Amino acid sequence: MVYSALVVSILLFLALIGTSNAHECYVCSNQTGNTDKCLNTVRICEQGEDACLTEIRWGSTPYFSLGAQKQFYVSKRCAKKEICQRIRTKHMPYCTHIWYEDWTCSACCLGDRCNYYVI
């Protein structure tokens, strides 16, 4: 009896320790704005994923068609801080916000659900 109570206590303790460092990020992929899925879908990040990454792309549809309308594409996910910073540095030269050009911007943040808003 005492043994089973001890085992249950140890399992509860280990479960709490395992989730204490986990944080949450909003997640979505190639949505046409920071609405609906991008604001309502949350994921608990894997161990080692210590940042939330947001990428915003402005351009025409993925398949080129002449005269296609340009629009925003928003993606959010969990990421390792180093990878997040690498992606941000890669996109920085193309983060122009010029309406007639295709561009991509990204942002990294640390903390629970810190990627609610976009840049």
Side-chain angles (χ1 to χ4, degrees), residues 44-60:
I44 297 174
C45 299
E46 299 291 326
Q47 187 173 2
E49 294 178 325
D50 49 358
C52 298
L53 170 64
T54 301
E55 295 176 276
I56 306 160
R57 200 167 45 85
W58 171 257
S60 52

Side-chain angles (χ1 to χ4, degrees), residues 47-96:
Q47 187 173 2
E49 294 178 325
D50 49 358
C52 298
L53 170 64
T54 301
E55 295 176 276
I56 306 160
R57 200 167 45 85
W58 171 257
S60 52
T61 55
Y63 305 104
F64 177 77
S65 58
L66 191 58
Q69 293 278 332
K70 291 186 182 278
Q71 65 184 38
F72 288 103
Y73 295 94
V74 178
S75 297
K76 298 179 179 184
R77 63 185 171 103
C78 298
K80 292 182 178 182
K81 185 177 175 183
E82 298 79 28
I83 292 172
C84 196
Q85 290 171 337
R86 190 177 316 131
I87 290 171
R88 186 164 189 255
T89 301
K90 175 184 161 192
H91 290 164
M92 194 57 67
Y94 309 106
C95 185
T96 62

